[in-house]
Amino acid sequence: MLLAGCGSDDETEAPAACIAPARDYLAALEAAPEPVLLGGSTPISDCLVADQDPAELGQVGEEMISAATQLNAEARRDPAGEATTQLGYLVGAAQQGAAESGGTEGGGIHTDLLRRLDSAARFSKGGKPLPASFERAFGEGYAAGQDGG
């Protein structure tokens, strides 16, 4: 499968940098809350495109959720730490990309991914509320992801 590069007019394929393992997402997210670029040039929001192929969306989504799960484990150990900010950035950028592509309208193609991503990001053993320090750090990252992700 050929993947579109940045700036492609093809609205159905994500840039090649988006088809990366979770470790690449995690490495890029270390820059958060500053702009995060996959492969040095691709915002996470560009990974969710209109009319995206379900197989590609599944692959991108699997890696995003894996990254979110790993960040959540770190964030539960240090709720005010960098991992929490990175986690918020990931969720904010993904939501921004889905909104820009129209992938959340009327139960669009990105709705399930966003729900699963948010569940992985906000997981808490026993369903206990996450502390205020988590919400502050997550919110900082989320706002940055929405703005530049």
Side-chain angles (χ1 to χ4, degrees):
M1 170 189 293
L2 294 175
L3 298 174
C6 290
S8 171
D9 290 333
D10 190 344
E11 294 282 331
T12 64
E13 294 179 350
C18 298
I19 309 301
R23 70 177 171 273
D24 290 1
Y25 280 85
L26 293 170
L29 283 161
E30 289 178 5
E34 298 301 317
V36 170
L37 300 173
L38 295 168
S41 63
T42 304
I44 291 172
S45 60
D46 285 359
C47 294
L48 302 179
V49 296
D51 301 320
Q52 193 161 16
D53 176 74
E56 178 184 272
L57 177 59
Q59 186 176 3
V60 169
E62 182 179 337
E63 299 307 330
M64 283 186 181
I65 291 167
S66 178
T69 300
Q70 292 175 56
L71 288 169
N72 172 272
E74 292 177 44
R76 284 185 285 124
R77 287 190 296 272
D78 182 10
E82 292 178 11
T84 309
T85 303
Q86 295 166 7
L87 188 56
Y89 191 103
L90 176 60
V91 172
Q95 288 185 354
Q96 183 63 25
E100 288 174 354
S101 71
T104 57
E105 296 172 5
I109 63 170
H110 299 123
T111 302
D112 186 53
L113 168 60
L114 295 178
R115 188 174 317 128
R116 293 176 59 217
L117 186 60
D118 193 59
S119 291
R122 295 184 170 278
F123 173 79
S124 172
K125 288 188 178 182
K128 296 179 183 176
L130 295 162
S133 57
F134 175 95
E135 295 299 340
R136 281 190 296 275
F138 186 91
E140 176 189 1
Y142 182 86
Q146 287 270 291
D147 186 45

